[in-house]
Amino acid sequence: MKLFSSVHDVPDIKALVKEALHLKQFPYAYKDLGENKTIALVFLNPSLRTRMSTQKAALNLGMNVMVLNMDKEGWALELRDGVIMNGTTVEHIREAAAVMGQYADIIGVRSFPGLKNREEDYGEMIFNKFVQYCGVPVVSLESATRHPLQSLADLVTIEELKTRERPKVVLTWAPHVKPLPQAVPNSFAEWMTKADVEFIIAHPEGYELSAEFTKGATITHYQDEALADADFIYVKNWSAYEPYGKIFQGNEDWMLTNKKLKNTNKAKVMHCLPVRRNLELSDEILDGESSIVVHEAGNRVWAAQAVLKRMLEELVK
């Protein structure tokens, strides 16, 4: 594995999930694999779980870790080619990415969308330019359209905690006070449609995701209907794909509560975090027995470690 940016970079999803669960049992079994290898984690946006879990995963494998908050500690990057850099940008991404590749054996990149121009965001300019110019394997720490490490951890969590062979998994939209990216729901949908689950997406009208990510999913505007007999409920807000980045008034009643769980199959409630309490998810859910959000976050380590292990194995061939 030289690139981890989506589910399409994984030839065998079940095997990768199994490997993550194996690493959860034996976290230090491959600590020699990363000896004298360095990973650079480059953040253009804030991070808690992705930063700490990927760092821990790399350390478990014996790697050296460098972290760069590019938005605060690095130079302002120019992304466009053929421009006269006489404005606010200081360094072109061609040189910046290439230099990072001189210092690291693997690079992780996190970059959010601007939610202004759909073509630019869905073109993944920043992430793709790192891949193009750094010259080393690259792992997505979340991009404009996907969050594959989160989705892998989500699938690991479902596999670990499921009580029937083919569980019913529901992705349900939740209210928020501002427009949020589609990266997490895009990615979750992309992974779930390729997993052995019954997968349903529930959202109010106007919040349809790109069909590129939801092909194979059942989609409904009726939340209660979707939640019936569910085993796992994945709660997440996202802004509209069309008109891009917009949010609409109302729909506060989409917040998940214990009352809405009554017709589920004792469903476990998931969220990628951070979560706004009593807006996206109620206190009673987050503080109750149904919530597995912390357990899910813990599995971020083993998801990252499974991916990094595959990349290191490729490097030492």
Side-chain angles (χ1 to χ4, degrees), residues 1 3 89 117 170 194 309:
M1 185 181 289
L3 175 66
T89 56
N117 185 310
V170 178
K194 291 175 175 56
K309 177 177 175 286

Side-chain angles (χ1 to χ4, degrees), residues 210-264:
S210 168
E212 172 189 355
F213 300 96
T214 61
K215 186 178 181 181
T218 299
I219 301 173
T220 179
H221 300 315
Y222 300 99
Q223 188 185 43
D224 289 340
E225 184 180 292
L227 297 180
D229 201 35
D231 297 285
F232 295 91
I233 303 171
Y234 200 95
V235 178
K236 186 69 181 80
N237 173 270
W238 62 88
S239 59
Y241 179 73
E242 178 61 47
Y244 185 62
K246 303 302 180 184
I247 57 175
F248 311 105
Q249 296 301 313
N251 302 309
E252 288 83 4
D253 58 337
W254 277 71
M255 185 184 73
L256 197 66
T257 61
N258 279 339
K259 184 179 179 181
K260 293 186 178 185
L261 295 183
K262 287 184 177 179
N263 292 327
T264 70

Side-chain angles (χ1 to χ4, degrees), residues 76 78 83 85 126-127 131 172 185 195-196 208 229 245 251 267 275 291:
E78 178 59 63
V83 299
M85 290 175 54
I126 295 176
F127 184 80
V131 173
T172 181
D196 189 16
E208 287 74 14
D229 201 35
N251 302 309
V275 62
S291 174

Side-chain angles (χ1 to χ4, degrees), residues 6 18 22 32 41 68 71 93 120 131 133 149 166 239:
S6 78
K18 185 177 180 181
H22 171 75
D32 295 337
L41 305 178
L68 177 63
D71 58 329
I93 196 167
E120 284 186 7
V131 173
Y133 297 125
L149 284 178
R166 192 170 187 267
S239 59

